[in-house]
Amino acid sequence: MADRRWTCTTDASTRKEFLDSLWGMGISVHTLDDHVKVLMRLYKPEIRKLGVLDTVEISAMDTWEEFDPKTRTWVQVKISSKKEKSTAKVNLGNILKCTGIEGVIYYRINKDSSGSIALVPMEKRAAYNIICTVAEPTISHWKSDDLGKHVFIELKELYNIPEEIFSFLNRLGTKDKRVPGTLIFENDDIDLVRTALSCIKINLEKSSETVIIPSNDKYGTVILIEKITKERLQVLLDIVQEMGGTIESKEDHIVISGKRGSVKLTFVDDDKSVQDGNAIKVSVSALEDPSRFSEILSMVKKRLGLLDMPLESAISKHWTILTDADLQYVVQSAISWYSSNPVLAVNIISENNKSGKVKEWHAKIKEGKIRSSLDTITLGKIIKRMEPT
């Protein structure tokens, strides 16, 4: 459960029966079929033409790339230097990617009211949303297995697409380490995949190649505890302890005990987590996704009879910021809670050493160094409440 909603995953063969049972109980359901309709409203497959080539001043110390709408790839910008001034010829309205000492920063090339060329900084999500509007139509290929039951799309066929589209495909599909770099879908879901990709002008065509999945008895390799990102694992341990669980850590697993017994958690490189009695195989990638993280905690809580604390707020408070996606999640969680529980909103940002990163990000927005689609006004109110009186 996350954001006061349950996320449910079923096989295509049982999906209709499961939905009918939920609807029969009067439960509101937002299916992936519904979500693809939302994507169709957000992303329109028209082509936005780029402006003319113009000259912009840039730093020669960094690496600059411009998005190529025809190939949907990043092309390195040619920099000209003259009298300590570095410039480049780029298309108005396009996106530039700058890689430097501060990491990767995205810019849009605009012309202001005075006619001067300006580089407008923006978040990666916003940049990629613009990218899909200027990108030209292309073709991606899918393959079938020898039984015709599954659809396989290699990730290299889905490069440089908006996060919302990629997230949808990830939720609809699955991965198998025996077929690396590939998303696998139920055969019945190919139309949903095709519709989502058509929103960003990617047309699916069937490849003549067939995928044969090799047998592998070692599928689901166990990951040693010391190999797991410490900060991710610590969030799980802290919340379990708050719920009243006791923890015993071994070399390749963790034992969690409660009033109903104990469970053994092993961490594997599978795409999905699985529970079998008192043994839970946890997909290590679930530790990076708050909604999947919540599912693991729900399994443990129910099995052991731990304290029934609200997982949504607990995860938001304990979550650590390691990536831009973590930052977005933490900030959005705090903003969502502010109107009903401002104290919790402050705690979400102030706990687990997150306030410094959030304040720095908010300061960059105020200075115009980056743009964000989040409610930064409310975020400013939260940050102000954190200041000593």
Side-chain angles (χ1 to χ4, degrees), residues 249-272:
S249 184
K250 303 290 187 179
E251 182 182 12
D252 61 354
H253 68 275
I254 290 174
V255 177
I256 302 175
S257 303
K259 61 183 180 182
R260 294 180 186 170
S262 63
V263 294
K264 176 183 175 182
L265 266 64
T266 54
F267 298 87
V268 294
D269 58 1
D270 292 4
D271 186 52
K272 297 186 183 298

Side-chain angles (χ1 to χ4, degrees), residues 141-303:
H141 296 88
W142 64 274
K143 303 174 185 178
S144 177
D145 58 13
D146 52 348
L147 299 176
K149 291 185 177 180
H150 293 90
V151 171
F152 299 79
I153 302 179
E154 296 181 24
L155 294 177
K156 65 182 182 181
E157 299 275 348
L158 304 174
Y159 52 84
N160 291 331
I161 65 176
E163 177 61 29
E164 287 84 356
I165 299 291
F166 191 71
S167 175
F168 170 83
L169 297 176
N170 261 324
R171 291 166 60 192
L172 182 63
T174 186
K175 294 177 183 176
D176 188 325
K177 78 181 190 72
R178 295 171 293 179
V179 191
T182 303
L183 279 177
I184 306 172
F185 303 93
E186 298 278 353
N187 207 46
D188 293 341
D189 290 334
I190 183 63
D191 286 338
L192 282 177
V193 177
R194 181 176 285 110
T195 301
L197 291 177
S198 69
C199 294
I200 52 174
K201 304 187 288 290
I202 296 179
N203 298 313
L204 275 184
E205 289 188 2
K206 185 175 181 180
S207 170
S208 58
E209 297 181 39
T210 299
V211 175
I212 299 177
I213 302 180
S215 60
N216 187 349
D217 295 334
K218 295 182 180 180
Y219 178 56
T221 304
V222 174
I223 300 174
L224 297 179
I225 300 302
E226 64 177 13
K227 299 295 184 181
I228 301 172
T229 304
K230 181 180 178 181
E231 294 85 352
R232 300 292 189 197
L233 183 60
Q234 194 61 48
V235 176
L236 176 68
L237 302 183
D238 288 344
I239 297 177
V240 166
Q241 289 177 328
E242 276 194 17
M243 293 192 296
T246 57
I247 299 166
E248 184 180 3
S249 184
K250 303 290 187 179
E251 182 182 12
D252 61 354
H253 68 275
I254 290 174
V255 177
I256 302 175
S257 303
K259 61 183 180 182
R260 294 180 186 170
S262 63
V263 294
K264 176 183 175 182
L265 266 64
T266 54
F267 298 87
V268 294
D269 58 1
D270 292 4
D271 186 52
K272 297 186 183 298
S273 303
V274 179
Q275 180 180 5
D276 182 12
N278 65 347
I280 301 178
K281 291 184 177 181
V282 178
S283 167
V284 70
S285 61
L287 300 181
E288 301 175 2
D289 184 333
S291 62
R292 297 173 64 197
F293 196 93
S294 179
E295 294 170 6
I296 304 304
L297 288 171
S298 294
M299 289 183 197
V300 174
K301 182 174 68 171
K302 184 177 181 180
R303 182 73 186 181

Side-chain angles (χ1 to χ4, degrees), residues 112-144:
D112 59 26
S113 57
S114 66
S116 301
I117 304 299
L119 292 179
V120 181
M122 55 180 48
E123 293 178 299
K124 180 179 179 180
R125 170 183 281 183
Y128 272 72
N129 285 344
I130 293 175
I131 279 173
C132 75
T133 66
V134 301
E136 296 185 10
T138 189
I139 295 173
S140 290
H141 296 88
W142 64 274
K143 303 174 185 178
S144 177

Side-chain angles (χ1 to χ4, degrees), residues 123-125 163 229-233 235 284-293 315-335 348-349 351-355 357-358 361 374 379:
E123 293 178 299
K124 180 179 179 180
R125 170 183 281 183
E163 177 61 29
T229 304
K230 181 180 178 181
E231 294 85 352
R232 300 292 189 197
L233 183 60
V235 176
V284 70
S285 61
L287 300 181
E288 301 175 2
D289 184 333
S291 62
R292 297 173 64 197
F293 196 93
I315 293 173
S316 299
K317 286 193 296 182
H318 286 281
W319 201 256
T320 187
I321 298 177
L322 301 180
T323 66
D324 182 63
D326 295 331
L327 177 63
Q328 298 285 330
Y329 166 72
V330 168
V331 172
Q332 182 58 59
S333 297
I335 292 171
I348 288 173
I349 292 178
E351 292 191 14
N352 207 10
N353 301 317
K354 291 176 283 192
S355 60
K357 294 179 180 179
V358 173
W361 180 76
L374 298 180
L379 177 60

Side-chain angles (χ1 to χ4, degrees), residues 359-374:
K359 288 179 180 178
E360 180 183 359
W361 180 76
H362 184 248
K364 288 183 178 179
I365 292 175
K366 292 177 65 177
E367 294 167 4
K369 293 182 178 180
I370 58 174
R371 288 185 175 182
S372 174
S373 58
L374 298 180

